Amino acid sequence: MAKSDENGMWNLVIFDLPVMTKVQRRAATGFRKLLIDLGWSMEQYSVYVRYVPTGMSVAPEVQTIRTRVPAQGKVQIVSVTDRQWSKAIRFVNAIPEEPAGPPDLLTLF
């Protein structure tokens, strides 16, 4: 496992969106695409994650997400430390899985 950034944070967007009609499905798909465009990665179908290193904020993205929540959608944003994230117990097909370390970050000047 990669060395963790003790002060980094993992942010999770957890959501439940209505998908009973074609319009609702289109809105839900648009919301998922928005998260990807903002740099979030799908962890599970309705759970997206984004790693934020020390000193960075997701506040601008949170505001964008807030304004784009589909009608009757429920969205929660939770932050956990990198240390907490790395201690999560994960299973894939009932087989334990090691957590991935923080992603490599590209800095542009």
Side-chain angles (χ1 to χ4, degrees):
M1 180 169 68
K3 183 182 182 302
S4 66
D5 173 5
E6 292 295 323
N7 297 315
M9 297 293 289
W10 286 90
N11 295 279
L12 290 80
V13 175
I14 305 165
F15 55 92
D16 187 17
L17 306 176
V19 291
M20 299 301 288
T21 68
K22 189 173 186 176
V23 171
Q24 289 173 333
R25 286 189 295 276
R26 191 175 300 123
T29 298
F31 185 76
R32 286 183 179 88
K33 287 181 179 180
L34 169 71
L35 292 174
I36 291 169
D37 290 345
L38 292 173
W40 298 76
S41 301
M42 185 170 70
E43 182 72 14
Q44 295 182 12
Y45 195 64
S46 291
V47 179
Y48 282 66
V49 298
R50 182 168 179 208
Y51 178 77
V52 180
T54 305
M56 290 184 65
S57 172
V58 293
E61 289 84 1
V62 169
Q63 185 58 32
T64 301
I65 291 167
R66 181 179 183 205
T67 62
R68 300 279 301 274
V69 174
Q72 299 174 333
K74 180 179 179 181
V75 176
Q76 298 176 52
I77 300 175
V78 178
S79 297
V80 297
T81 66
D82 187 52
R83 185 179 186 97
Q84 291 169 321
W85 181 258
S86 68
K87 291 181 181 240
I89 300 169
R90 296 167 173 84
F91 297 101
V92 176
N93 294 325
I95 299 169
E97 178 183 71
E98 287 293 318
D104 293 330
L105 300 175
L106 175 65
T107 303
L108 299 175
F109 294 93

